[in-house]
Amino acid sequence: MKSLKTQFIISHIVPVVVTIPLIAVALSYAMETHYILKDMKKTITYQANLIKDYSERAPEIWKDEASADAFIQEIRPQLITGVILFDKAWNMLAFSDNGLSGPPDDCCKSVPTFGQTSMKPILNVSSYNPFHRSDDIIEMMVPVSNDQNELLGIIRLNLPVDYFEDQLNQTAGRIVVILLCGIALGVLIGLVNAVNLEKQLNRTTNAIYELSTGVRDNPLPETGSKEIAQLSVAFNKLAEKLKSSEQKRTKLVSFLTHELGRPLGALSSAIDSLSLGAYQDEQLTRDLTSGMKNEIKRLELLVGDLSILREESDPQNQYLFNTVDLTEWMTECYKYWSEFASSKGVNLINEISEDLPQVEMDPYRFHQATGNLLSNAIKHSPKGERVILRASRIEGEIQISVIDFGSGIPETDLPYIFNSFYRGAEKKRFTQGMGLGLAIAQEVVTAHKGKITVQSTVGKGSTFTIHLPSQTKGQSHS
């Protein structure tokens, strides 16, 4: 009983096996008490009219027993009912035995009265009990009169139990055959459905096991019943999401290994140089410590980017908004990145307006967004080139632009540059980094109810612009 297929078959078949016999009993009783009796009433009425027509053409049978007996023998082959002829005084003239050795014992017990005011046939239907036989089932008294509507005699007809039971046996046989076919069909349908259901569930179960071991890479066919198809759709979505997460995890580990290796190697080399006596050269010491500071900034940016990737439910990943003087904040941001730009031989130009409003922002998160744009611009600008940091209020919004004059971004890459881990199809602009900087910048700006646009021409440079509402209202976001 632990098998789903067995339970399904039993649950499908038991109601059929139990219900169909009950239906058979009810149907048989209905046939016995209604349809067959109705047919028998029709039959006996037809027989009565046939005998009456014969007898009206031979009035002598009501006066002579021999004539009556000859009449009965003449019409007997056409009869399926028992017939008794009475004269008008209710004396029996003749009868057809119809399987009986003599006239029935109660042939004269019931004596209805016929007169000139009542010459209608009398039909009597005995109650039928399948478990208790009655002698007669249906009988009819038919008066026969002459042209002056005078009573000549009475015809009594009855259908015996044998005829009734023959009809029932034939009907019951057909019902049994039909019900047996129904049971067989129910068992077959139950078995087919159970096998199909088991097959589909086993297919899904095996796919889940394969997915858990990393073997499966093909989606389940979204076919079958509505519920099974929905299960397959849910599985395929889960498999697709897990595959995407695994690909991102693999990329993240690979990029982390690359990104952490270079600054750590540079720091290790600088420390080794200082420990071997480089500190005695004042200029070399300044250069080494400046380089170490820049590498530490790179690691800080990397750690900041990784914090954005944490689950949204992580309370440390919430935005904490404060009222910030944007001109002052942008100036501090400029000073922070100006030193980094100088170390790369790039001149960072300050074009920050002095009349920027106060805004609600998370200073740390917004520094990540702006810093990622500046870092990209500086890293991809040739030595001696300039990068412009511009901030102003234009047409009811605040625009913060980072403008470089480097290699630019190919047009084919522009639709994808804000996707996580995207590093460029032609490996020109995004050969360094994890491909997360622009995706994180866009997420932070969106949290501040803004947007980022980009304009770029290959060989001439790129302009990234952050658009913020002039009155930026913030709140804690997760």
Side-chain angles (χ1 to χ4, degrees):
M1 291 292 290
K2 292 183 179 181
S3 169
L4 181 61
K5 179 173 70 174
T6 303
Q7 294 179 15
F8 189 86
I9 292 174
I10 292 176
S11 66
H12 193 84
I13 293 175
V14 168
V16 174
V17 173
V18 172
T19 304
I20 285 185
L22 296 177
I23 294 175
V25 172
L27 182 60
S28 177
Y29 185 78
M31 293 291 291
E32 293 169 0
T33 57
H34 183 70
Y35 296 105
I36 292 179
L37 286 177
K38 183 177 180 180
D39 180 68
M40 293 176 69
K41 290 177 184 178
K42 183 178 179 181
T43 300
I44 198 171
T45 301
Y46 172 77
Q47 296 271 291
N49 291 330
L50 179 67
I51 298 172
K52 182 179 178 181
D53 290 341
Y54 269 89
S55 63
E56 286 178 345
R57 294 195 295 269
E60 67 276 3
I61 65 174
W62 304 109
K63 301 176 182 179
D64 179 44
E65 291 184 7
S67 298
D69 187 65
F71 172 75
I72 290 292
Q73 296 302 322
E74 179 182 354
I75 64 173
R76 181 177 175 183
Q78 303 179 53
L79 301 178
I80 58 173
T81 58
V83 180
I84 304 176
L85 299 182
F86 297 92
D87 61 16
K88 61 182 179 180
W90 283 99
N91 298 310
M92 188 177 68
L93 300 174
F95 71 94
S96 69
D97 55 15
N98 213 33
L100 301 175
S101 57
D105 295 336
D106 63 344
C107 67
C108 299
K109 289 181 181 178
S110 178
V111 181
T113 301
F114 295 101
Q116 291 188 3
T117 59
S118 177
M119 286 292 182
K120 295 181 179 180
I122 299 174
L123 179 65
N124 179 42
V125 181
S126 302
S127 61
Y128 174 72
N129 186 345
F131 306 102
H132 176 70
R133 288 182 54 149
S134 58
D135 292 336
D136 295 323
I137 301 304
I138 298 179
E139 70 172 9
M140 177 175 282
M141 301 291 188
V142 182
V144 180
S145 60
N146 57 19
D147 295 339
Q148 286 77 35
N149 203 28
E150 295 175 346
L151 181 65
L152 299 177
I154 300 98
I155 304 171
R156 172 178 170 175
L157 299 93
N158 71 293
L159 278 176
V161 175
D162 292 343
Y163 176 81
F164 186 68
E165 291 184 344
D166 288 341
Q167 294 289 319
L168 291 180
N169 289 336
Q170 292 178 15
T171 304
R174 296 188 185 99
I175 292 174
V176 168
V177 171
I178 293 173
L179 295 180
L180 288 177
C181 291
I183 292 175
L185 182 61
V187 171
L188 179 62
I189 292 175
L191 181 61
V192 170
N193 287 339
V195 171
N196 287 338
L197 179 61
E198 182 186 43
K199 182 179 178 181
Q200 292 169 342
L201 290 178
N202 284 339
R203 181 185 63 190
T204 304
T205 302
N206 293 335
I208 292 173
Y209 279 125
E210 292 174 359
L211 182 65
S212 66
T213 57
V215 175
R216 186 175 186 87
D217 194 33
N218 298 322
L220 281 175
E222 298 173 2
T223 57
S225 62
K226 179 181 178 181
E227 292 76 11
I228 294 296
Q230 289 177 341
L231 178 62
S232 297
V233 169
F235 171 84
N236 290 337
K237 288 183 178 179
L238 174 62
E240 184 178 352
K241 187 173 183 179
L242 290 176
K243 181 179 178 181
S244 176
S245 298
E246 179 63 19
Q247 289 175 344
K248 289 184 178 180
R249 185 191 68 81
T250 303
K251 285 184 178 181
L252 180 61
V253 172
S254 175
F255 293 152
L256 276 175
T257 303
H258 177 268
E259 290 299 304
L260 289 173
R262 186 167 56 182
L264 289 176
L267 288 172
S268 178
S269 297
I271 292 172
D272 289 341
S273 298
L274 290 171
S275 65
L276 292 174
Y279 64 89
Q280 297 177 359
D281 186 332
E282 186 176 343
Q283 182 61 42
L284 180 57
T285 300
R286 283 198 298 269
D287 291 340
L288 288 174
T289 54
S290 176
M292 292 170 68
K293 186 175 181 180
N294 287 332
E295 294 302 332
I296 290 173
K297 285 183 178 179
R298 283 176 55 83
L299 290 175
E300 287 177 348
L301 286 174
L302 180 61
V303 171
D305 287 347
L306 291 176
S307 69
I308 294 289
L309 296 177
R310 283 197 296 246
E311 294 292 335
E312 292 184 358
S313 59
D314 187 345
Q316 295 183 8
N317 199 32
Q318 294 179 343
Y319 288 84
L320 300 177
F321 287 83
N322 296 305
T323 302
V324 175
D325 185 308
L326 192 57
T327 299
E328 183 179 340
W329 185 89
M330 288 296 303
T331 302
E332 290 296 324
C333 182
Y334 166 76
K335 292 178 180 180
Y336 182 89
W337 284 98
S338 178
E339 187 176 349
F340 178 77
S342 296
S343 68
K344 299 296 183 180
V346 176
N347 184 23
L348 182 61
I349 305 300
N350 181 352
E351 293 187 4
I352 300 171
S353 175
E354 295 183 357
D355 62 347
L356 296 177
Q358 290 188 338
V359 295
E360 294 289 321
M361 68 159 58
D362 183 327
Y364 174 72
R365 294 297 185 198
F366 206 79
H367 186 272
Q368 283 182 297
T370 308
N372 284 342
L373 299 181
L374 285 167
S375 176
N376 279 342
I378 294 169
K379 284 190 297 184
H380 296 96
S381 294
K383 286 186 178 181
E385 190 55 81
R386 58 198 174 97
V387 171
I388 300 174
L389 176 59
R390 179 180 296 161
S392 58
R393 182 158 52 178
I394 301 174
E395 296 180 356
E397 69 174 9
I398 299 168
Q399 295 184 5
I400 301 172
S401 300
V402 176
I403 306 166
D404 70 71
F405 303 91
S407 58
I409 305 172
E411 187 176 352
T412 54
D413 287 338
L414 285 176
Y416 311 105
I417 60 175
F418 292 103
N419 295 343
S420 297
F421 301 111
Y422 187 77
R423 302 174 76 192
E426 296 185 9
K427 307 293 184 182
K428 290 182 178 179
R429 182 176 177 92
F430 307 102
T431 55
Q432 300 177 8
M434 294 191 297
L436 292 173
L438 293 180
I440 290 173
Q442 185 182 55
E443 179 179 326
V444 172
V445 171
T446 301
H448 287 75
K449 304 188 184 304
K451 65 179 181 178
I452 301 179
T453 60
V454 58
Q455 295 178 338
S456 184
T457 303
V458 175
K460 294 185 178 181
S462 305
T463 299
F464 285 83
T465 302
I466 298 174
H467 302 262
L468 293 175
S470 60
Q471 299 294 327
T472 305
K473 300 297 182 182
Q475 57 185 359
S476 294
H477 295 275
S478 59

